[in-house]
Amino acid sequence: MGGVRELAVSFVVPGPCGVAIRDRLKHLTAQDERVLRAVGAHQGALASRDLKARCADGLEHSADTWAARKRELTGVSSSRIAGAITKATHDQWALARRCQAVHIQNLAVGIRTLRHRLSLPLGEKGTKRAAGGYRSKNEWFRKSRRLAALEDRHTAAVADGQAGRVRVVRGGKHLLNTRHHLTQARLTEDQWRERWEAERWFLAADGESGKRFGNETIRVTPDGEVSIKLPAPLAYLANTRHGRYTLTAGIAFAHRGAEWADRIEANRAVAYRIHLDVERGRWYLTASWQRPVVRTIPLETARARGMIGVDTNADHFAAYRLDRHGNPIGEPHRFGYDLSGTAGHRDAQIRHALTRLINWAKCAGVAAIGIEDLDFTPEKTREKHGRRKRFRQLISGMPTGKLKARLVSMAAEHGLSVVAVDPAYTSLWGAQHWQKPLATPRRKMSRHDAAGIAIGRRALGHPVRRRTAPPPHDRSDRAGHRTAQAGPGARGREGTRPPTTDRPPRGPSPSGKRTREPSASKTVRDAPSTQQWVQDSLMCTG
């Protein structure tokens, strides 16, 4: 199949390996808030100091340096708090290294694209796989300057990577830059300072199996009582024995509360984190724990009861139900969402749309949902899409990673599996082969609905394209493209129907005499008996 890249094999996405639930700490007293702020600020300063030391170690880090940092922190806090801080530091440094590697890769891709386009003559047209030359000398000159800038950035990033240097901001780079644009952010300096300090606090503790209620530093009892082990310099603030401070506010997890209660009553590890939402003025407590690795079901089991193909778009999910043979059933469904506004609003919109999708899948009785394995990381570069700024903003705004994580986690709770498929050509082939045949006066098929069918068929292991069918009502093929599905092994299923008779070549016969050409049959029943039509699983549209 010339010009078509090889498609990746579909697979069942592994289930979630962890759980996180959150509840609000209501009715805190002024003393409770003062203690939480003091503990958070003290441990946040220790975390900042430890992160600075870890970044200074670079690639020279070892178990000995880790132990030395932990001993130093233990003297001004406690052993468990020191362990939590150093672990968080290592996780943050590793994340910065991964981001650095991706940044270097993106710079290299941009440099290759610019060098290719600068090497072409002005005005040369490009193709679908490679961009053409620039349109004017002015644009060529500006892109040559950008190439030099990218090369300098790439050289500096590679040098940092080889030396083990990373750029990390506790509190977030975005919030740090907001300090220079307070007017645009509609914040005063005091409001920004309050958010900055809250983001840099450290009020978290890892769980410990075998300890009382699964955590000794932040302990939550089954009846919702929350107590904190204070660091040594703040032990004078304790209101209970053993240097602990008990909050007046209690919690009651509404979501997964029974599962959480079972864990803490069995003294199994549960990690906790306390944080302040400065904008709302509310305190929250988040509990998280790991789940045992769940084996994914075989792909054939996921396909047994059909599939729901889901096409992900900028403002909605386009879903279509298919039976196990790949035939569309019923009507297309669309689940809209709005990705504008804050991150919290976008996340809520995604969760609401996924909830409706999963509820419909449960009612339909399928065992799996097919979705594209989207990754726009190499597609967001300015060098690849040029002036298509709105398109770059569109694909940058689609939270593909968070969407897949949300879908896998929510589907697992309802006993549904997620099958990831290669996204190549799903919209193109879906519109070509499924949009027009399924459109009726009462059913409006969009390109996205047809793409959902293509995704579902690929998840089921069926080819998206199908052509070969029984002969139409006459021999001139005025019925258009084929409407029945051919088996994967049928020869010629991608081709046109052969003629009913084999015509000899025009011109004189070998003997030199001109002979009359045989006439073709006027009826289908006179077609040669050697013609074999392969038809498997006729398309159902009802």
Side-chain angles (χ1 to χ4, degrees), residues 170-247:
R170 289 198 71 249
K173 180 180 177 181
H174 177 74
L175 185 57
L176 176 63
N177 291 335
T178 304
R179 175 63 181 84
H180 306 289
H181 307 280
L182 296 179
T183 304
Q184 293 86 335
R186 298 180 181 179
L187 294 173
T188 64
E189 184 175 351
D190 293 337
Q191 291 174 336
W192 176 87
R193 179 69 59 182
E194 187 177 6
R195 294 188 181 187
W196 175 250
E197 292 176 352
E199 289 295 330
R200 291 169 64 85
W201 289 343
F202 189 90
L203 278 168
D206 297 330
E208 297 176 88
S209 293
K211 299 298 182 180
R212 190 180 180 189
F213 302 130
N215 198 311
E216 283 287 345
T217 305
I218 301 178
R219 181 184 296 166
V220 184
T221 62
D223 58 357
E225 183 183 82
V226 183
S227 63
I228 303 174
K229 174 66 175 178
L230 298 176
L234 301 177
Y236 65 93
L237 297 174
N239 60 0
T240 56
R241 295 182 303 170
H242 308 299
R244 304 189 69 87
Y245 185 89
T246 302
L247 303 177

Side-chain angles (χ1 to χ4, degrees), residues 12 14 26-27 30 45 52 100 134 152 165 214 220 276 279 287 299 322 331 354 363-364 373 398 435 470 484 505 515:
V12 179
K26 299 181 180 179
H27 311 300
K52 179 180 179 181
Q100 184 183 60
Y134 294 110
D152 289 342
R165 290 189 297 268
V220 184
L276 171 64
E279 186 174 356
L299 187 57
L322 294 86
E331 302 294 328
L354 290 178
C363 295
D373 189 11
M398 294 178 67
Q435 183 176 4
T515 58

Side-chain angles (χ1 to χ4, degrees), residues 61-62 144 177 190 200 216 232 238 283 318 358 383 420 440 469 490:
H61 168 72
S62 64
S144 65
N177 291 335
D190 293 337
R200 291 169 64 85
E216 283 287 345
W283 291 85
I358 291 173
E383 285 69 34
T440 65

Side-chain angles (χ1 to χ4, degrees), residues 457-477:
R457 288 179 61 85
R458 185 169 290 173
L460 288 167
H462 299 301
V464 176
R465 301 186 288 180
R466 83 280 178 274
R467 282 185 179 178
T468 303
H473 50 76
D474 61 9
R475 65 191 179 101
S476 59
D477 270 359

